[in-house]
Amino acid sequence: WGTQGTNMLRYMNLFKFLGFRKVCSEETARTKAEPEDQDYYGMGSRSARHTLIAVTGLVFCTLSPLITVLCFINGAVCRFLYSYLFVYSETKKADLGGVFWITQLRHIQQGLLIYIILMTGVLLERANSIIPGVVAGSSAVVWLYTYRRFNHAFHLENLPLKDIKASASVEKRLSVKKQYTQPELIHHEDSPRARKDK
């Protein structure tokens, strides 16, 4: 949890800001200090690390039940810290959350296969007969079916052609305005430029 706390401090951005402030203006230093390093603090890297922690808790939950409590506490701490970071501290980024979410689900399913292999090995080693290990190992068949179904039955990255055709026949909502005009671009009589032109 100390790592999550240091992420909250954003110390690398602070060090970059303090360094750049010595050689350029404060506004330029702030611009150069952002965004944070995407290799470690990016959405993809964070989602991979948090998925690894979840898979670790999932794989070892039967052998060491206390790890599930630690994983839940870690999840709660991350929820608290990163909800603040995303909304108030970090710069806005392009939203690739859907891609990362699908990858996380896929990795958790792969972690279930590791769990099946681990429990099969433990049961084969500790049980008096081979039957419990074979029963546990046979669940890999169900895992394979659901994993293939997840990867092929759900259209997660693109829309099927039949749905595109069906959406073309749906009556669309009519626009309320004839044209959208950005309020900042309207020439007002009381603007500094209008006063200057007079």
Side-chain angles (χ1 to χ4, degrees):
W1 301 313
T3 304
Q4 314 302 347
T6 56
N7 288 344
M8 181 79 169
L9 296 175
R10 301 184 72 215
Y11 60 94
M12 290 308 295
N13 297 75
L14 175 64
F15 292 155
K16 286 197 293 189
F17 172 75
L18 293 175
F20 283 123
R21 195 173 65 174
K22 300 236 185 249
V23 294
C24 53
S25 71
E26 194 164 309
E27 188 61 38
T28 307
R30 182 179 301 128
T31 305
K32 289 184 181 234
E34 294 286 344
E36 55 281 332
D37 178 25
Q38 294 302 302
D39 291 342
Y40 185 78
Y41 299 104
M43 281 195 299
S45 176
R46 282 182 183 154
S47 65
R49 281 196 312 276
H50 297 315
T51 302
L52 177 64
I53 292 170
V55 166
T56 303
L58 194 64
V59 167
F60 295 109
C61 67
T62 306
L63 297 177
S64 177
L66 184 60
I67 199 166
T68 56
V69 175
L70 296 174
C71 284
F72 276 116
I73 291 172
N74 184 64
V77 167
C78 288
R79 166 74 170 88
F80 176 73
L81 294 178
Y82 288 112
S83 62
Y84 175 81
L85 277 177
F86 293 154
V87 176
Y88 298 108
S89 294
E90 294 182 352
T91 57
K92 294 197 185 302
K93 296 167 189 68
D95 185 17
L96 289 176
V99 176
F100 295 135
W101 173 248
I102 298 305
T103 306
Q104 285 177 312
L105 291 177
R106 203 168 278 139
H107 288 166
I108 287 178
Q109 286 184 328
Q110 292 165 357
L112 281 175
L113 179 63
I114 296 171
Y115 175 74
I116 291 169
I117 293 169
L118 175 71
M119 292 315 298
T120 302
V122 167
L123 290 172
L124 286 173
E125 179 67 29
R126 294 185 181 174
N128 293 333
S129 71
I130 192 173
I131 295 171
V134 170
V135 170
S138 66
S139 63
V141 174
V142 176
W143 175 86
L144 181 63
Y145 170 75
T146 57
Y147 186 71
R148 287 181 53 83
R149 182 172 174 259
F150 179 79
N151 286 328
H152 299 295
F154 300 122
H155 299 282
L156 304 170
E157 295 181 15
N158 49 25
L159 197 59
L161 291 176
K162 65 178 182 173
D163 291 343
I164 294 173
K165 185 178 179 183
S167 70
S169 64
V170 174
E171 186 176 329
K172 307 262 188 312
R173 174 180 67 85
L174 296 174
S175 66
V176 179
K177 297 181 179 182
K178 293 185 189 261
Q179 125 184 21
Y180 172 76
T181 307
Q182 195 170 346
E184 292 85 11
L185 300 177
I186 297 175
H187 184 71
H188 292 288
E189 295 299 324
D190 60 340
S191 69
R193 184 175 184 151
R195 280 184 257 143
K196 183 180 174 186
D197 291 342
K198 287 181 182 179

